[in-house]
Amino acid sequence: MESMLEALADLPLLKIAAGWLLLVNLQTFTAFWFDKRAALRGFWRTSEANLLMGAFLGGTPGAFLARRVFRHKTRKQPFVSRLKTIAFLQIMAIGGAMGWYAAGILQV
């Protein structure tokens, strides 16, 4: 376990974040696919809370892509407004982080 932590310590923060975002977006996209498939077959569904949690953890692009590709959860309220709120807050957080980085407050 320690060697894994040491290896992570050697990786720049941006590489770790990029890896995380890749994995969480893949998971979120897959969760939407499973839910759409279950909806068509009448099987057990993935909860909206779990789909939104994937987006909240960084999988917003995967969620929006899956909605478009699978035509799933495109009109369901309040799901759509909650997903858009998550996306808005993430955009604001990224903008704030970029501002802090430009001002020298945040160092990567």
Side-chain angles (χ1 to χ4, degrees):
M1 184 69 164
E2 287 181 37
S3 63
M4 187 171 129
L5 293 175
E6 290 172 5
L8 284 176
D10 291 339
L11 286 176
L13 183 60
L14 292 178
K15 286 185 180 179
I16 295 171
W20 169 261
L21 290 174
L22 178 67
L23 291 174
V24 76
N25 277 282
L26 181 61
Q27 183 278 331
T28 302
F29 184 86
T30 304
F32 272 79
W33 175 69
F34 274 112
D35 190 47
K36 176 66 174 190
R37 195 169 136 202
L40 293 173
R41 296 180 179 183
F43 292 161
W44 177 82
R45 304 282 304 276
T46 304
S47 72
E48 289 184 356
N50 285 341
L51 295 174
L52 289 171
M53 182 57 71
F56 180 77
L57 293 174
T60 304
F64 278 100
L65 179 62
R67 288 178 66 228
R68 184 177 183 118
V69 169
F70 305 126
R71 295 184 190 149
H72 188 53
K73 300 280 188 192
T74 57
R75 293 178 285 156
K76 177 107 165 112
Q77 289 296 344
F79 183 86
V80 173
S81 61
R82 289 178 179 159
L83 183 59
K84 288 180 179 179
T85 300
I86 289 170
F88 173 77
L89 292 173
Q90 288 173 340
I91 290 168
M92 296 300 292
I94 290 168
M98 289 173 65
W100 287 349
Y101 181 76
I105 298 170
L106 178 66
Q107 295 183 9
V108 181

